[in-house]
């Protein structure tokens, strides 16, 4: 039974996959459905949802189309979540592999750096970084990755520690491969799968961190994100709660989708190991 | 000596503890003669003679009084009973009130005024530095006369308009010989006002108590004022509803909540009482940038702003469209006879075409950086609006968001902006804080001043001439000319003039009875028991 079949058998995985596909479609098709700037003023301010046929989710305090903001916000959230996770896993896996394979002083030094990052709460780190460098999409991605690369690093190191003792590594040494080449070409690919399992956790965390940063006014002000929509809506929470609820539901769906998808993946992987 | 632990001491200790924890949650109704006020900031320095700002006055003006206060029908005497200027504009004589004592019982005399003027207002105060720059000496022929001598002619009109803001009098006997900036009284002020400073618990509240020896017998009517520190604006609305606070001033209740709050029994929304505290929403322009130096571009931007939309959507109607650098509620100086910029996108686009900035294939003429000041949600929202308004005329604006310190540095020190959005304040006379927005030659780093590199010799000459014109009518005429010049040449763009709102319990009496009400001394304020 192949991996896809095993994944399909887990209900969580399917639910997550459906949610994520819908959101990904929304994000990808946002420029098709809502061409132009989602922050453009389209109508009377504070139109309620379903009040105006052209603006199904109503408008915010400046008369911007909430539906367009929601679709484009999905884009921002997914871009930030996926890029932050990619950066975190790439950097973490590299550092972990080097530490685990190098051993000795390199290992000690790198792991102390990892610990230094681990003791600071990830959100505070992101907050400090963005306030110093100034908010923009790239900075936000780096800021979130700063707080989440340590998990992959530790996991990769642990994997590498066991892999490096295997015979094929010794064989590679014997044929005269450079240690760095062995580490990156031979060991890293094998250490990567368990690290990849962290992706879902990191993506979900990154989406929430981005939303929290935007909520505090530290997001990129030139793009729309769900966090900034909630922050905007907060001012009118008592009189126009839909402005906060709509993007809030988006966030719930995305994080839930990522989480369920991750669960499905883990289950599928576990089944294979169980059978083997 | 050891401290005996007795039952009595323990009980006393417990009672004190109980008292302190119970204090911040007084209910208005149960208090009788006590008013709890929401305070969104906690000024570090409570000395209004040094820091003349509304945040400080809100609390300190009840303790330390100025020479005069503004009423709806002109200036009202307070610590000074009368004043007149000489014809040459070089002396200004104040007659001071008799029978006034400081909170520590010492008599208030002309020596206190002379000391405050020469040692505090002129050298240390943010606004006094400019207004009293030519003040040479203050003579005190007797205990109740103070004669201000100026080296250059100084218009009486200017000093008089500035009196409520810049002339808070400090007690000489408590400040003399000390380092004024570091004097502990800056945190626990002593004055002549209707209320005495009692205590400040950081993060919780300030407590002011009634001054039984206030010079105006019969006042004040309230025993105690408590300023509860409530940094969260949503919390202020909820506390008002719950009856925990009786007054939230300076728009602490968000505009969007006002409709709802106004419906609640026992609370009322008050828009009066801020006429002399007008904030101005302005677009600051960096004239060093090639595009912005072009008058047609500035005119196009002015035409692209739909002021009515800004007032309706951002200020929810609690503002007025601005025509120029002087707001309409300064009738002494205001003139509507200036160049007007109607909302007209076609005209704006035509002006930009004329200026030589055609649209490219994607409809963009040029891009610029827009820095909205982070101090008010309105300035940030206007930033979002302006970005959209500019796109419509082919100008692509990139919003750069900074925190307060970063914004100040970027705009006023580094000049790293094309357009910035600022909330400036009109303080009763254009010479106090308005002409600095246009005058050239100011050093970098001065906040809320012309840091856009605008230099117009004609404007400078006009400002300098008005500053030494003694005749009130001629001086007023010069400032009208100044408004016309600013509106025509657009060193900055005035968008809206806005003020604040208060939400007060209906049990309060004599609320909003002068145009600087929240920062006046509240000696006549009453609370129905």
């Amino acid at each position: 039974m192949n991996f896809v079949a095993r994944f399909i058998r887990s209900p969580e995985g399917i639910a997550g996959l459906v949610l994520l596909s819908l959101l990904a479609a929304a994000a990808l098709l946002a420029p098709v459905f809502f061409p132009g700037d989602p922050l453009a003023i389209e109508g009377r301010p504070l139109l309620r949802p379903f009040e105006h046929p052209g603006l199904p989710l109503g408008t915010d305090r400046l008369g911007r189309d909430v539906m367009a903001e929601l679709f484009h916000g999905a884009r921002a959230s997914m871009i930030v979540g996926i890029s932050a996770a990619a950066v975190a896993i790439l950097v973490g896996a590299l550092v972990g592999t080097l530490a685990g394979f190098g051993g000795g002083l390199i290992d000690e030094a790198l792991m102390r750096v990892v610990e230094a990052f681990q003791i600071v709460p990830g959100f505070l780190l992101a907050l400090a970084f963005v306030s110093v460098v100034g908010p923009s999409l790239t900075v936000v991605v780096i800021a979130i990755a700063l707080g989440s690369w340590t998990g992959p690093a530790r996991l990769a190191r642990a994997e590498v520690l066991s892999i490096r003792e295997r015979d094929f590594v010794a064989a590679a040494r014997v044929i005269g491969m450079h240690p760095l080449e062995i580490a990156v070409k031979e060991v890293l690919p094998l250490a990567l799968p368990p690290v990849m399992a962290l992706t879902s956790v990191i993506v979900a965390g990154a989406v929430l961190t981005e939303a929290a940063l935007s909520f505090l006014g530290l997001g990129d002000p030139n793009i729309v994100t769900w966090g900034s929509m909630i922050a905007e809506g907060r001012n009118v929470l008592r009189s126009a709660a839909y402005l906060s609820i709509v993007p809030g539901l988006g966030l719930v769906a995305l994080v839930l989708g990522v989480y369920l998808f991750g669960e499905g993946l883990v289950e599928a992987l576990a089944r294979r190991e169980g059978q083997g | 000596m050891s401290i005996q632990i007795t039952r009595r001491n323990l009980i006393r200790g417990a009672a004190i503890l109980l008292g302190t924890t119970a204090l911040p949650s007084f209910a208005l109704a149960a208090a009788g003669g006590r008013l709890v006020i929401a305070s969104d900031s906690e000024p570090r320095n409570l000395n209004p003679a040094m820091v003349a700002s509304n945040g400080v006055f809100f609390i300190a003006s009840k303790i330390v009084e100025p020479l005069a206060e503004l009423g709806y029908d002109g200036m009202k005497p307070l610590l000074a009973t009368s004043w007149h200027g000489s014809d040459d504009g070089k002396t200004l004589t104040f007659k001071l009130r008799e029978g006034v004592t400081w909170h520590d019982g010492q008599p208030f005399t002309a020596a206190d005024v002379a000391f405050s003027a020469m040692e505090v207002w002129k050298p240390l105060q943010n606004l006094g530095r400019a207004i009293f720059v030519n003040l040479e000496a203050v003579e005190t022929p007797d205990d109740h006369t103070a004669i201000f001598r100026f080296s250059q002619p100084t218009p009486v009109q200017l000093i008089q308009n500035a009196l409520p803001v810049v002339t808070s009098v400090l007690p000489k006997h408590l400040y003399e010989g000390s380092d004024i900036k570091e004097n502990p009284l800056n945190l626990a002020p002593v004055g002549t006002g209707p209320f005495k400073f009692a205590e400040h618990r950081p993060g919780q509240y300030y407590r002011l108590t009634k001054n039984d020896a206030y010079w105006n017998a019969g006042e004040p009517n309230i025993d105690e004022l408590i300023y509860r520190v409530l940094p969260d604006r949503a919390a202020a609305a909820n506390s008002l509803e719950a009856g925990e606070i009786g007054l939230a001033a300076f728009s602490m209740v968000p505009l969007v909540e006002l409709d709802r709050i106004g419906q609640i029994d026992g609370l009322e929304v008050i828009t009066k009482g801020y006429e002399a505290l007008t904030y101005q929403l302005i677009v600051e322009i960096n004239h060093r940038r090639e595009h912005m130096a072009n008058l047609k571009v500035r005119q196009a931007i002015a035409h692209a702003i739909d002021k009515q939309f800004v007032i309706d959507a951002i200020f929810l109607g609690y503002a007025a469209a601005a025509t120029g650098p002087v707001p309409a509620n300064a009738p002494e100086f205001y003139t509507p006879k200036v160049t007007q910029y109607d909302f007209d996108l076609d005209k704006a686009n035509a002006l930009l075409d004329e200026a030589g900035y055609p649209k490219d294939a994607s409809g963009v003429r040029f891009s610029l950086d827009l820095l909205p000041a982070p101090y008010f949600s309105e300035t940030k929202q206007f930033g979002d609006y302006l970005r959209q308004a500019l796109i419509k005329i082919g100008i692509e604006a990139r919003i750069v968001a900074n925190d307060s310190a970063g914004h100040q540095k970027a705009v006023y020190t580094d000049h790293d902006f094309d357009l910035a959005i600022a909330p400036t304040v009109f303080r009763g006379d254009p010479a106090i804080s308005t002409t600095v927005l246009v005058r050239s030659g100011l050093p970098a780093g001065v906040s809320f001043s012309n840091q856009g590199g605008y230099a117009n010799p004609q404007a400078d000459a006009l400002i300098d001439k008005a500053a030494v014109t003694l005749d009130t009518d001629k001086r007023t005429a010069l400032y009208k000319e100044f408004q016309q010049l600013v509106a025509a040449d657009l060193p900055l763009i005035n968008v809206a003039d806005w003020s604040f709102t208060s939400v007060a319990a209906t049990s309060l009496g004599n609320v909003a009875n002068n145009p600087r009400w929240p920062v006046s001394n509240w000696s006549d304020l009453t609370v129905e028991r």
Side-chain angles (χ1 to χ4, degrees), chain A residues 39-40 61 222 235-236 238, chain B residues 238 256 260 314 381 388 399:
Chain A
L39 292 172
R61 274 199 66 186
N222 296 293
N235 295 322
V236 286
R238 300 278 295 255
Chain B
N238 296 340
V256 287
R260 193 176 61 80
I314 297 176
Q381 279 191 341
Q388 297 304 327
I399 294 184

Side-chain angles (χ1 to χ4, degrees), chain B residues 49-287:
Chain B
M50 234 164 76
V51 186
S53 78
N54 290 337
V56 173
F57 287 137
F58 186 45
I59 298 168
S61 64
K62 285 72 192 165
I63 307 164
V64 180
E65 291 179 304
L67 293 177
E69 183 55 89
L70 191 62
Y72 275 120
D73 45 0
M75 207 55 75
K76 293 256 191 304
L78 213 59
L79 287 180
T81 50
S82 67
W83 52 89
H84 67 268
S86 65
D87 292 341
D88 64 357
K90 289 193 172 180
T91 58
L92 184 57
T93 308
F94 288 95
K95 279 284 174 207
L96 302 178
R97 194 173 292 280
E98 299 186 26
V100 177
T101 55
W102 294 99
H103 292 159
D104 65 355
Q106 298 287 317
F108 158 82
T109 67
D112 295 312
V113 175
F115 173 81
S116 301
M118 295 310 296
E119 305 295 327
V120 188
W121 304 341
K122 181 181 171 182
L124 300 177
Q125 191 192 83
N126 51 340
L127 299 173
R129 276 177 212 193
I131 290 164
F132 293 114
V133 64
N134 295 322
L135 181 65
E136 269 187 338
V138 177
E139 288 165 19
T140 53
D142 63 60
D143 271 358
H144 300 287
T145 308
I147 303 171
F148 284 51
R149 296 212 178 277
F150 295 91
S151 59
Q152 298 289 322
T154 302
V156 173
Q157 188 189 25
L158 164 63
I159 302 285
Q160 174 168 308
N161 284 332
L163 281 179
V165 182
V166 301
T167 62
S168 303
V169 186
L170 296 181
K172 180 184 180 187
H173 64 280
L174 295 177
Y175 273 93
E176 195 175 28
S178 74
D179 179 357
I180 294 170
K181 282 190 198 163
E182 300 299 325
N183 194 308
L185 290 185
N186 294 339
L187 306 174
V190 168
T192 58
F195 296 95
K196 297 194 278 193
F197 181 85
E199 63 173 331
H200 170 211
R201 286 187 179 251
Q204 297 183 32
Y205 61 89
Y206 296 85
R207 189 162 64 88
L208 273 52
T209 54
K210 179 179 183 175
N211 174 14
D212 289 315
Y214 188 54
W215 52 264
N216 198 0
E219 289 184 339
N221 297 308
I222 296 182
D223 294 334
E224 208 165 43
L225 298 178
I226 310 282
Y227 289 83
R228 242 178 85 179
V229 178
L230 285 172
D232 183 5
R233 291 180 160 232
N238 296 340
S239 302
L240 276 165
E241 273 183 85
E244 286 167 13
I245 56 174
L247 174 70
F250 284 112
S251 297
M252 263 198 71
V253 177
L255 294 176
V256 287
E257 298 268 12
L258 288 180
D259 267 354
R260 193 176 61 80
I261 288 279
Q263 311 284 323
I264 295 171
D265 267 352
L267 292 177
E268 60 177 330
V269 175
I270 300 165
T271 53
K272 277 184 69 185
Y274 294 96
E275 290 77 0
L277 305 172
T278 303
Y279 277 64
Q280 301 170 295
L281 184 69
I282 65 166
V283 181
E284 291 172 309
I285 297 168
N286 193 348
H287 297 262

